[in-house]
Amino acid sequence: RAGPDVSVMDNDELDDFIAFRGELDDVRWDRTPTDSKRAASLSSSKSSGPATRSDDLSEPDYCGWDDLDLGPAEGDSSWDAFEARDEDEDKPRGGKIVYGGKKLTKAQREKLKDEEQLREARESIRKRGWTDNEVKWRSWLARRGHDVMVHDWNLSQYIDGECIPPSRDPFWLNSNEVPLPDYEAGNDGENEEDVPPITNLMGELIAPKYPPPRKVVLKPLWWDVDGEKLERDCLGRKTETYCWQQTNSQVYLEFKVPEGTSARDLRVTMRPTRVTVQIGTSEPLIDEELFMRIYVGSNGDDDSSIWELQDKRAIVFHLTKWHRMEAGNVRDASRTWWRQCLAREEPFEATNPPHAYYEAKEKR
């Protein structure tokens, strides 16, 4: 009966099928053949023992289920290679990494760990979809990126091959409506944008490793000295090029020198009645005669006169008076008062020291 899943045979196919079935019906499956090579092989195998394979492949002998090689016994150790390995075998035992039931050496453990990290890195790269060049760039940035500051203009120095910075890429420029200002030309317009911050590939701001040097703005020389009061009290004088003040035993004389002058370049000479300052072997910058005598002293003397350079723009002399109460060469403090410091100055109008002179304190 024909159906949707049943095919219909024509007459020729039906005759062939009946003939085939007839051949199968003549086969006696429960008996062995009697007039063939197989029958001869079976009779010889029954007399000699179990059936065996013939070494001559051109004339195969009888082969039955008994000829199949079932392999080693179930308990044989050779089957272990085909069994699934237990996950607990690779876990550390007693602090040692075990692989396949064997303890590994330190070098083998490190190699195994490196291979595992390499597999994880390759899997991460595959998931992110990075190219080989991008992997090399990120690897370099992780190792050496903190030592340099990478921006559009030096990016080509750190990447092999052709490199177009993002701000110079025509595709990048066309995708933005606002044209990129030319930062190299400076601030040419009022509405020009500031220079964008420098960031890495992750968008993180790259800050300098050290803070910028602090800008020190110096105040004018002797800005805290009241020249009028100083001259009114007869304790000193302030001018555009020098300033001096005095106490009972000290005179503080300051001269202006060119800014940026180094103390190593100065050659200072102090004598009992003269001070001289020159830079190198040039003409003396300061050569002044003192009104009264000073005590020059020596390096090991605490009362000796000294000098110092302040802010690389002023030289300060700490002059010790020759006539002072500590030296015991005067009768009273009024004999230590100076009416003028330099010989070319005009003396004070007062002939005796004012009360403020006795209260003046030395600088520390």
Side-chain angles (χ1 to χ4, degrees):
R1 185 177 62 182
D5 296 330
V6 178
S7 60
V8 179
M9 294 188 297
D10 54 6
N11 296 331
D12 296 335
E13 293 177 349
L14 183 60
D15 294 337
D16 295 337
F17 177 75
I18 293 173
F20 176 71
R21 291 287 298 178
E23 293 177 2
L24 294 179
D25 293 337
D26 296 336
V27 177
R28 299 298 299 269
W29 298 99
D30 54 344
R31 295 183 181 181
T32 58
T34 58
D35 54 350
S36 62
K37 292 183 178 180
R38 182 172 296 278
S41 63
L42 290 176
S43 61
S44 62
S45 63
K46 290 180 180 179
S47 61
S48 61
T52 58
R53 291 179 181 271
S54 175
D55 296 335
D56 187 4
L57 299 179
S58 62
E59 297 181 0
D61 296 335
Y62 168 76
C63 178
W65 288 106
D66 296 335
D67 294 333
L68 296 178
D69 187 5
L70 300 179
E74 294 183 0
D76 195 276
S77 60
S78 59
W79 291 104
D80 296 342
F82 300 94
E83 295 180 357
R85 191 177 60 203
D86 191 1
E87 297 181 356
D88 296 337
E89 293 183 358
D90 294 343
K91 294 184 179 180
R93 297 180 181 176
K96 299 290 184 180
I97 298 179
V98 180
Y99 186 78
K102 298 180 180 180
K103 292 185 179 180
L104 303 181
T105 62
K106 183 178 180 181
Q108 292 175 338
R109 292 196 302 270
E110 292 179 354
K111 184 178 180 180
L112 188 63
K113 185 176 180 181
D114 294 342
E115 292 177 353
E116 183 179 357
Q117 292 179 353
L118 185 60
R119 286 195 300 270
E120 293 178 357
R122 288 176 177 173
E123 181 66 18
S124 176
I125 292 171
R126 186 189 64 78
K127 291 181 179 179
R128 295 173 184 267
W130 291 348
T131 61
D132 294 342
N133 290 335
E134 192 171 4
V135 171
K136 293 179 181 179
W137 163 250
R138 292 178 183 272
S139 176
W140 175 90
L141 189 66
R143 291 183 288 106
R144 294 294 307 279
H146 63 280
D147 294 339
V148 297
M149 186 173 294
V150 182
H151 46 76
D152 291 349
W153 292 273
N154 67 352
L155 187 63
S156 58
Q157 301 177 9
Y158 305 102
I159 296 183
D160 297 336
E162 184 179 0
C163 173
I164 300 178
S167 60
R168 297 295 182 267
D169 191 352
F171 177 80
W172 188 86
L173 293 176
N174 295 336
S175 62
N176 293 270
E177 297 179 358
V178 181
L180 186 69
D182 189 2
Y183 299 107
E184 296 179 351
N187 191 8
D188 299 333
E190 297 180 358
N191 300 327
E192 187 172 4
E193 299 180 1
D194 296 335
V195 179
I198 300 174
T199 59
N200 55 18
L201 295 179
M202 301 299 181
E204 301 172 349
L205 182 64
I206 301 178
K209 188 175 183 180
Y210 301 101
R214 183 172 57 92
K215 295 183 179 180
V216 180
V217 180
L218 299 177
K219 296 181 180 180
L221 283 174
W222 314 308
W223 63 274
D224 56 341
V225 177
D226 189 353
E228 296 181 358
K229 183 177 182 302
L230 192 65
E231 192 168 354
R232 185 171 61 251
D233 293 340
C234 301
L235 296 178
R237 185 174 278 116
K238 174 184 175 182
T239 64
E240 294 182 359
T241 58
Y242 71 95
C243 174
W244 69 277
Q245 304 176 54
Q246 65 174 323
T247 62
N248 293 338
S249 59
Q250 293 283 332
V251 174
Y252 304 98
L253 178 60
E254 302 180 23
F255 287 98
K256 184 185 293 186
V257 296
E259 292 190 7
T261 302
S262 175
R264 294 184 177 183
D265 300 335
L266 294 179
R267 296 179 61 184
V268 182
T269 304
M270 289 188 294
R271 296 186 178 88
T273 58
R274 181 175 292 274
V275 292
T276 305
V277 178
Q278 63 182 123
I279 299 177
T281 58
S282 60
E283 293 293 328
L285 190 65
I286 301 169
D287 188 8
E288 297 288 347
E289 183 181 357
L290 302 176
F291 174 71
M292 296 187 69
R293 189 182 180 89
I294 63 172
Y295 176 70
V296 179
S298 61
N299 294 333
D301 194 352
D302 294 338
D303 296 332
S304 61
S305 300
I306 59 175
W307 66 275
E308 63 175 331
L309 186 66
Q310 288 187 354
D311 301 331
K312 295 186 178 182
R313 60 174 181 168
I315 182 171
V316 182
F317 291 94
H318 299 259
L319 305 177
T320 302
K321 294 181 178 180
W322 180 269
H323 299 90
R324 62 188 189 279
M325 297 295 296
E326 292 82 355
N329 53 7
V330 292
R331 184 174 55 189
D332 53 48
S334 62
R335 302 287 182 174
T336 63
W337 177 59
W338 286 18
R339 292 185 63 187
Q340 62 191 83
C341 180
L342 304 180
R344 61 182 176 85
E345 281 185 327
E346 291 292 334
F348 298 131
E349 297 180 357
T351 56
N352 295 318
H355 294 286
Y357 174 73
Y358 301 101
E359 299 175 358
K361 297 181 179 180
E362 296 182 3
K363 295 182 180 180
R364 297 295 181 184

